[in-house]
Amino acid sequence: MQKKKTNTGLDHDGSSAKENRKTKGVQKNSTASEFKDLIPIVGIGASAGGLEAFEQFFTHAPQDTGMAFVLVQHLDPRHKSILSELVQRYTGMSVHEVEDGMTVEPDNVYVIPPNRRMALLHGKLHLLEQGESLGVKNPIDFFFRSLAADQKERAICIVLSGTGSEGALGLRAVKAEDGLVMAQTPESAKYDGMPRNAIATGLVDYVLPAENMADQIVRYLKKGIGETSTTTGGDDSKNGGLLQKIYILIRFKTGHDFSFYKQNTILRRIERRMVLNQISHLAEYVRYMQEDPWEAVILFKELLIGVTNFFRDKEAFDALNNKVIPALCDARTSDDPLRIWVPGCSSGEEAYSLAMLTHDYIVTNGKNVSLQIFATDIDGDAVEVARQGLYSDIIAADLLPGYAERFFTREDGSLRVKKEIRDKVVFALQNVIADPPFSKIDLISCRNLLIYLGPELQKKVLPLFHYSLKKDGFLFLGTSETIGEYSDYFSVIDRKLKLFKRKDTSLARSPIIDLYAPTLTDRRVDAQKIGRGGAIKGTSFREVAEQIILDIYGPTAVVINEKSEILYIHGRAGKYLEPPSGDFTGNILAMAREGLKLELSSSLRKVIADNKEIRTENVRVKTNGKDHLINLIVKPIFQPASLAGSLMVIFEEARSQDGSNPIQESPSRGADKSDPRIKQLEQELRSTKEYLQTTIEELETTNEELKSTNEELQSSNEELQSTNEELETSREELQSINEELTTVNTELQQKIIELSKTGSDLNNLLASTDIGTIFLDTELNIRRFTPAATSLLSLLQSDLGRPVTHLATNMNYDRLEQDSQEVLRTLEAKEIEVFTKHEHWFIMRIMPYRTIENVIDGIVITFVDITQRKQTEQKLLQEIAQREKAQREAQSALNYSESVINTVRGPLVVIDQDLKIVSANRAFYEFFHVNPEESKGNLLYNVGDHRLDIPKLRKLLHEVLPKKTEVVDYKVDHVFDGSGPKVITLNARQIASQEGEEAKALIVLAMET
């Protein structure tokens, strides 16, 4: 049977039938009430590339769904994880690194810490050491299994980006509890190993990009959790009728009838489809199947739930390789090809396993045998996958040592079966129930198909296999399958590993009779085959005579199998065997007459144990109320090979001395103890006691042997299991380390990107400020420098690691080493101005280098260019000197001018454009009775109690003088207080300010009375 194919969840989520079944979102309050306060917990597993997938998932996830998200990723156990910090950037929910015993709350995200495994119990997260032996080594599988056990059908698991196959085992546990399984589309995953292996299980409900998963979960929860099962409640007969309609729809769409498959399996898959399509009632699902014809195809795929992989159950394939393949190949010629049939081949792993195993034996032993393998299935998609022979490279772990290199080629992370093996296998569509079978087959490998078939189909398939097999052909079944009541058709080679061998049809009812009813023509004997005297052509008269003599004089004999079932009777056995009342049975012990059963049972056991003939004489058998003596002979049959393992029971009449068989009436009640009959009974009683004692001893011996054998097997099994666990542990540790390294690499890449951006920012900052910086270690070796520092020291990239004192310098400074050592010793920074040969000035700062942990780890030397500042300072100094000189000169001129002015006998005053007094001579102060302090800086009109507030003077200053630069002998008449009327002659001239000062016009005003 082919495993179900994955539903993408994009085309068949119910939208094509009824739009009102779809729900875009769910509010937190409604979620809590709808789910009866049960928190849906979503387990998310990822490895390499998981950070990018987490970003896509949580960026598009609603913040108030009422769900809790648990992230399980491979982390480096030796480093502190920053995964929770990184995830917090993408979601508004609170993100926690899990602590032991932490209770899961809705709308929260929980991240597994490094070097821990995590389990969920009663809604709490528990952490366990990685070294503890708990059966499952991988943290993702381990958490998924605990999630399934704790949450049952409410469990939800998601497999995101990652390498390897982790998650595939854990999701099976979730699926077994009818939980929801999702996987990221391989195309959207950074690493598609984990999603592809999850999808390959055939158990994934939705395959979506990470950004679409949260909305799909909300829609699923809206309908899926808490719904009534389709198999509980309601009218069973009505449900049965609805199931028949579903069978009809599947048969109409696919041509295959599932009505005789096991009903529980069918119902479970129908329930899953109903939940995924958000349908509550079986009748509604039937309508949905009628509205959406693709649903019948999807359900058909879901019903094909076979599980297969290369060399599944290696112990069984070892037995096949040791017991069956040599027997088939050794006695075969090149003209007789070895034919193998694999019904229910699924995606081809089992067929290719048989092809590789058989081809390996043929080549290794130099056999000239051609091989033909017919592999069939009803699933066209599975057959197409099998024909391609392309599988994920994870199958290498399932192959026998060296087979991956011998029989596969690598193609882009996948393994393809080589053409020489593919050519030996013919894949075809075939329904083993309805289509004609193959014939002349040497080996049929039908593993895990019968367990899904009902009793009616099994009764048809097993006889059909008997018909298809050659004489001495082999049947290989799954570990949970058996031939049931068809032991007449097959003998057991290995009961535990389910290896059987075809028996000759002549010993049992032909299976072909069950399939094709014989006609009268089949029962007639061809008259042309009969010669004279009634003898059949090809048969000699000697054979006929011997057969007649055996019929008359030969003893009665019965051929039985190892189960004591009668296969053939020769002669009249009525005196020894009698069918019991009730249902008919062909068991010889049940049919043995009184007195025979005990001896017969004992003899049969001894013959089976010792494989030697047993003869018991004078066995008393009661027939029709009379006793008679017989000799009982039981012998094993070795030839022909088809009867090997069978037994022949011979009933030989005991003869007295006169040649007659002594038959006696049963003894009367009053018989004397000396009677021979009583002695006979006593002898039988003693014989019975001895037999019982012998049987008890044999049972005890057998029990001891079985106990010893069982202990040895247990010991061997434990050793093998221990070895297997060690190998598995090593493989898982390597896988885990690889994924942890990938995860750490992803986190480090994020850090590198951030550090690179920070470094670029710092470089641009230092370059833009044109600050030369040199980083030295504690030995004063150069660790790093900025481009601006190369103008001071002759630095090249190759100088990294060299002592700074070895480099040539352009500075007039030779205490770099001493000052650096002093800074390392005192931890006090130094600041020094240095001058270069190129006439540039720098401030050199020498400071200790401190790490984030405040540890001194070297020296930082910075050079700030102050050349411009120095030049500005020099220019300012020159300007100050010039100003001081000018001031001195001005002061000298002022002193000179004041001396000149003071020699003038008449009043004289110097005013500015605003008519404020700048200076005046002594005569002015005396004439107007004012002092220099109160006059300088005041308006001319305000001095001396407004004595100069003369209208004609105003006219001179405001109207006449602006038009002329000089006024001579301008007469002004005015009455002065205390002096009477006077005529003042005014002479005025405009003069420029001193050079270098702000240009201002000054007025020199002289007065004569």
Side-chain angles (χ1 to χ4, degrees):
M1 295 289 290
Q2 164 65 21
K3 185 181 295 185
K4 71 167 189 175
K5 291 295 182 296
T6 304
N7 174 21
T8 64
L10 299 176
D11 300 324
H12 307 293
D13 61 354
S15 58
S16 60
K18 293 186 178 181
E19 286 297 327
N20 59 1
R21 294 193 190 111
K22 298 184 70 177
T23 305
K24 295 296 181 185
V26 56
Q27 298 299 322
K28 181 176 180 180
N29 294 336
S30 63
T31 303
S33 60
E34 182 175 357
F35 301 148
K36 301 177 183 178
D37 297 327
L38 295 174
I39 302 172
I41 299 177
V42 182
I44 306 178
S47 181
L51 184 60
E52 181 179 317
F54 290 152
E55 177 182 359
Q56 296 167 357
F57 181 90
F58 286 107
T59 301
H60 296 84
Q63 309 300 311
D64 57 353
T65 60
M67 292 182 281
F69 302 91
V70 183
L71 310 186
V72 184
Q73 188 178 21
H74 285 171
L75 302 171
D76 188 344
R78 296 162 296 183
H79 295 84
K80 187 179 186 302
S81 173
I82 59 171
L83 182 59
S84 56
E85 302 169 13
L86 297 174
V87 173
Q88 185 67 79
R89 301 177 184 177
Y90 315 133
T91 178
M93 293 182 282
S94 297
V95 181
H96 315 274
E97 186 170 274
V98 175
E99 297 177 359
D100 194 29
M102 181 175 282
T103 301
V104 177
E105 299 290 344
D107 298 324
N108 280 264
V109 181
Y110 301 90
V111 179
I112 187 173
N115 201 28
R116 292 290 186 272
R117 280 180 294 175
M118 184 167 57
L120 182 69
L121 180 64
H122 305 317
K124 291 187 177 182
L125 295 169
H126 299 272
L127 300 177
L128 302 103
E129 296 289 342
Q130 283 281 21
E132 297 178 29
S133 177
L134 294 172
V136 180
K137 305 298 181 185
N138 297 332
I140 298 175
D141 288 321
F142 184 75
F143 180 74
F144 282 0
R145 291 184 65 177
S146 73
L147 176 67
D150 192 73
Q151 297 295 298
K152 302 299 182 183
E153 70 278 358
R154 298 191 306 276
I156 302 170
C157 73
I158 299 175
V159 178
L160 296 178
S161 172
T163 60
S165 62
E166 191 170 357
L169 177 63
L171 69 83
R172 293 176 185 272
V174 174
K175 194 67 174 180
E177 297 292 348
D178 286 334
L180 177 67
V181 178
M182 304 180 77
Q184 186 177 4
T185 53
E187 297 77 15
S188 67
K190 188 172 182 180
Y191 296 90
D192 61 1
M194 281 174 52
R196 285 191 184 279
N197 281 285
I199 295 169
T201 64
L203 303 176
V204 177
D205 297 308
Y206 296 105
V207 179
L208 300 168
E211 58 266 25
N212 297 339
M213 288 180 170
D215 289 338
Q216 184 60 53
I217 295 173
V218 171
R219 288 195 292 270
Y220 170 81
L221 292 177
K222 188 72 175 174
K223 195 69 178 177
I225 294 181
E227 295 293 334
T228 304
S229 174
T230 58
T231 59
T232 58
D235 188 350
D236 290 341
S237 60
K238 182 178 179 180
N239 281 344
L242 294 172
L243 282 176
Q244 296 302 318
K245 290 182 175 63
I246 292 175
Y247 296 147
I248 291 171
L249 292 172
I250 295 175
R251 186 177 64 180
F252 177 77
K253 188 65 179 178
T254 67
H256 299 292
D257 184 5
F258 284 86
S259 57
F260 289 104
Y261 281 59
K262 290 183 178 177
Q263 193 176 86
N264 288 339
T265 301
I266 302 292
L267 285 173
R268 283 198 301 271
R269 307 329 301 164
I270 292 174
E271 285 179 9
R272 289 295 304 157
R273 291 304 306 162
M274 290 175 62
V275 170
L276 293 174
N277 287 291
Q278 304 172 18
I279 297 175
S280 304
H281 304 289
L282 194 60
E284 185 182 355
Y285 182 66
V286 173
R287 289 194 299 273
Y288 175 60
M289 288 185 67
Q290 293 173 308
E291 294 171 6
D292 186 358
W294 281 107
E295 179 61 24
V297 177
I298 296 173
L299 180 58
F300 165 71
K301 298 290 186 183
E302 292 248 0
L303 295 176
L304 305 179
I305 50 178
V307 180
T308 182
N309 55 279
F310 284 92
F311 297 100
R312 188 184 181 199
D313 302 323
K314 285 187 171 56
E315 186 180 1
F317 274 92
D318 288 342
L320 192 73
N321 193 31
N322 295 330
K323 298 178 180 180
V324 176
I325 292 179
L328 293 175
C329 295
D330 289 348
R332 195 169 299 273
T333 63
S334 59
D335 298 332
D336 185 14
L338 176 59
R339 293 163 58 89
I340 299 175
W341 180 22
V342 184
C345 68
S346 186
S347 49
E349 288 91 334
E350 183 181 335
Y352 285 128
S353 298
L354 290 170
M356 289 184 285
L357 206 63
T358 309
H359 178 77
D360 188 20
Y361 181 85
I362 292 173
V363 172
T364 302
N365 294 275
K367 302 293 183 180
N368 186 18
V369 178
S370 60
L371 175 64
Q372 295 177 350
I373 298 180
F374 306 97
T376 62
D377 201 282
I378 63 175
D379 188 347
D381 293 338
V383 170
E384 187 59 35
V385 171
R387 285 172 179 161
Q388 296 296 323
L390 185 65
Y391 303 95
S392 169
D393 58 2
I394 194 66
I395 65 165
D398 299 327
L399 300 175
L400 298 183
Y403 274 30
E405 293 74 20
R406 288 183 58 189
F407 300 118
F408 290 85
T409 58
R410 294 191 177 274
E411 297 182 7
D412 298 330
S414 300
L415 292 176
R416 187 185 295 276
V417 181
K418 287 185 177 179
K419 190 174 185 299
E420 63 173 331
I421 299 299
R422 295 204 309 272
D423 289 345
K424 298 181 185 300
V425 186
V426 178
F427 291 98
L429 284 173
Q430 185 205 41
N431 187 339
V432 71
I433 308 300
D435 296 333
F438 291 90
S439 60
K440 297 181 180 179
I441 299 297
D442 296 288
L443 169 65
I444 295 178
S445 178
C446 180
R447 313 194 73 224
N448 301 318
L449 168 63
L450 299 180
I451 57 176
Y452 299 111
L453 305 182
E456 297 85 353
L457 294 182
Q458 290 189 17
K459 289 180 181 179
K460 184 173 184 179
V461 170
L462 285 170
L464 183 143
F465 287 165
H466 184 277
Y467 163 76
S468 297
L469 287 171
K470 289 182 180 179
K471 180 182 178 182
D472 297 334
F474 294 90
L475 176 64
F476 186 29
L477 299 180
T479 54
S480 301
E481 297 171 327
T482 179
I483 57 174
E485 62 186 75
Y486 291 95
S487 57
D488 291 344
Y489 296 158
F490 302 96
S491 59
V492 178
I493 297 177
D494 193 317
R495 189 176 303 278
K496 178 184 176 183
L497 302 178
K498 307 302 179 182
L499 280 173
F500 304 92
K501 188 175 183 180
R502 182 186 187 274
K503 287 185 177 180
D504 192 353
T505 311
S506 63
L507 300 179
R509 184 177 72 259
S510 172
I512 304 304
I513 297 176
D514 295 338
L515 300 176
Y516 310 100
T519 62
L520 292 176
T521 306
D522 298 325
R523 297 194 180 105
R524 290 197 298 265
V525 179
D526 192 345
Q528 295 179 357
K529 295 182 181 180
I530 302 187
R532 296 182 181 181
I536 299 175
K537 286 185 178 181
T539 303
S540 65
F541 286 101
R542 174 184 174 183
E543 292 175 350
V544 174
E546 289 177 351
Q547 184 63 43
I548 294 173
I549 292 171
L550 285 173
D551 290 340
I552 298 175
Y553 300 104
T556 301
V558 177
V559 177
I560 62 175
N561 60 16
E562 64 273 14
K563 294 183 180 179
S564 301
E565 295 172 342
I566 298 174
L567 304 177
Y568 176 76
I569 298 176
H570 173 77
R572 302 180 64 182
K575 292 192 297 182
Y576 318 108
L577 305 175
E578 179 183 19
S581 59
D583 295 337
F584 175 78
T585 177
N587 191 290
I588 191 171
L589 295 176
M591 299 176 66
R593 288 186 177 273
E594 185 179 349
L596 178 61
K597 183 175 182 178
L598 191 61
E599 291 292 341
L600 180 58
S601 176
S602 176
S603 298
L604 290 176
R605 277 196 295 270
K606 291 179 180 179
V607 172
I608 293 174
D610 301 335
N611 209 23
K612 295 180 180 180
E613 177 181 331
I614 295 294
R615 180 183 181 91
T616 307
E617 297 186 348
N618 296 325
V619 177
R620 187 173 297 274
V621 182
K622 180 175 288 187
T623 305
N624 298 327
K626 297 181 179 180
D627 293 341
H628 62 103
L629 300 177
I630 66 168
N631 298 327
L632 179 63
I633 304 169
V634 181
K635 61 186 302 181
I637 300 176
F638 302 105
Q639 294 294 334
S642 59
L643 292 180
S646 302
L647 304 174
M648 176 174 285
V649 180
I650 301 173
F651 305 105
E652 181 184 84
E653 293 291 338
R655 301 294 178 180
S656 60
Q657 293 182 354
D658 58 1
S660 62
N661 183 280
I663 302 177
Q664 302 176 355
E665 297 287 344
S666 298
S668 61
R669 292 180 183 178
D672 192 276
K673 290 186 178 180
S674 61
D675 189 281
R677 176 59 177 166
I678 294 176
K679 293 181 179 180
Q680 178 71 27
L681 292 174
E682 289 176 347
Q683 181 180 356
E684 290 180 359
L685 182 59
R686 285 193 300 271
S687 176
T688 302
K689 289 181 178 180
E690 292 174 357
Y691 168 74
L692 288 175
Q693 182 63 32
T694 302
T695 302
I696 291 171
E697 292 175 356
E698 290 177 354
L699 285 174
E700 289 177 350
T701 302
T702 302
N703 286 337
E704 290 295 329
E705 292 175 353
L706 289 174
K707 196 178 295 183
S708 176
T709 302
N710 184 52
E711 290 175 355
E712 292 176 359
L713 290 174
Q714 284 181 343
S715 177
S716 300
N717 183 56
E718 289 173 358
E719 291 176 1
L720 291 173
Q721 188 172 352
S722 175
T723 303
N724 183 56
E725 288 177 354
E726 290 174 1
L727 293 173
E728 183 67 18
T729 300
S730 300
R731 186 189 68 81
E732 291 173 352
E733 287 176 354
L734 289 174
Q735 176 72 15
S736 177
I737 290 171
N738 180 54
E739 297 188 355
E740 287 167 3
L741 290 174
T742 304
T743 302
V744 172
N745 183 53
T746 303
E747 293 186 359
L748 290 178
Q749 283 179 347
Q750 290 289 114
K751 277 292 186 183
I752 289 170
I753 292 171
E754 294 178 3
L755 291 173
S756 178
K757 290 180 179 178
T758 304
S760 298
D761 294 342
L762 289 174
N763 287 334
N764 281 280
L765 175 63
L766 294 174
S768 64
T769 56
D770 200 24
I771 297 176
T773 306
I774 303 174
F775 298 90
L776 307 179
D777 60 19
T778 55
E779 301 297 327
L780 303 185
N781 296 321
I782 300 173
R783 265 198 314 223
R784 188 179 179 187
F785 58 87
T786 60
T790 58
S791 63
L792 298 166
L793 287 85
S794 301
L795 288 169
L796 299 173
Q797 198 65 30
S798 59
D799 292 328
L800 295 178
R802 291 181 60 190
V804 70
T805 54
H806 289 186
L807 301 177
T809 176
N810 296 325
M811 301 179 294
N812 58 345
Y813 172 73
D814 57 1
R815 289 187 52 82
L816 180 60
E817 181 178 5
Q818 293 86 338
D819 288 343
S820 298
Q821 293 289 358
E822 185 178 351
V823 170
L824 280 175
R825 185 176 63 257
T826 63
L827 303 182
E828 293 181 0
K830 278 182 172 293
E831 187 171 306
I832 305 163
E833 289 187 1
V834 295
F835 183 67
T836 68
K837 297 176 182 179
H838 302 293
E839 298 183 352
H840 282 78
W841 284 90
F842 292 88
I843 290 181
M844 181 178 69
R845 293 187 180 93
I846 306 175
M847 298 171 291
Y849 179 95
R850 298 178 184 271
T851 65
I852 295 176
E853 293 80 14
N854 200 28
V855 175
I856 303 301
D857 193 29
I859 290 291
V860 180
I861 304 175
T862 60
F863 299 90
V864 179
D865 191 344
I866 59 171
T867 302
Q868 188 174 359
R869 191 187 81 181
K870 281 289 187 180
Q871 292 173 350
T872 303
E873 287 179 355
Q874 292 175 359
K875 185 176 181 181
L876 287 174
L877 289 174
Q878 291 174 357
E879 290 179 353
I880 290 170
Q882 291 174 358
R883 281 177 179 274
E884 290 177 349
K885 181 179 179 182
Q887 286 177 356
R888 288 193 301 271
E889 292 176 352
Q891 186 65 36
S892 176
L894 179 61
N895 294 335
Y896 175 76
S897 63
E898 285 182 352
S899 299
V900 173
I901 289 172
N902 286 328
T903 60
V904 177
R905 298 182 62 85
L908 186 144
V909 65
V910 179
I911 61 177
D912 60 14
Q913 289 178 335
D914 298 327
L915 304 182
K916 291 181 179 180
I917 297 173
V918 176
S919 65
N921 64 357
R922 195 163 37 248
F924 176 84
Y925 296 132
E926 292 175 352
F927 181 81
F928 292 102
H929 304 289
V930 296
N931 55 45
E933 290 76 13
E934 66 180 55
S935 60
K936 285 186 179 181
N938 288 328
L939 286 173
L940 177 66
Y941 306 132
N942 293 336
V943 300
D945 296 329
H946 303 279
R947 288 182 179 183
L948 289 176
D949 191 5
I950 304 170
K952 286 188 176 182
L953 179 59
R954 284 181 177 270
K955 183 178 180 181
L956 171 67
L957 296 175
H958 290 287
E959 296 179 8
V960 177
L961 192 59
K963 298 177 181 179
K964 299 179 181 180
T965 59
E966 183 180 4
V967 176
V968 179
D969 296 334
Y970 185 81
K971 304 294 184 179
V972 174
D973 297 331
H974 185 65
V975 179
F976 293 96
D977 294 339
S979 300
K982 288 184 179 181
V983 177
I984 301 175
T985 302
L986 300 176
N987 292 285
R989 178 185 293 274
Q990 290 187 5
I991 60 174
S993 63
Q994 293 182 2
E995 189 177 347
E997 296 181 355
E998 185 179 354
K1000 285 186 179 181
L1002 298 178
I1003 300 172
V1004 178
L1005 180 63
M1007 304 177 187
E1008 294 179 7
T1009 57

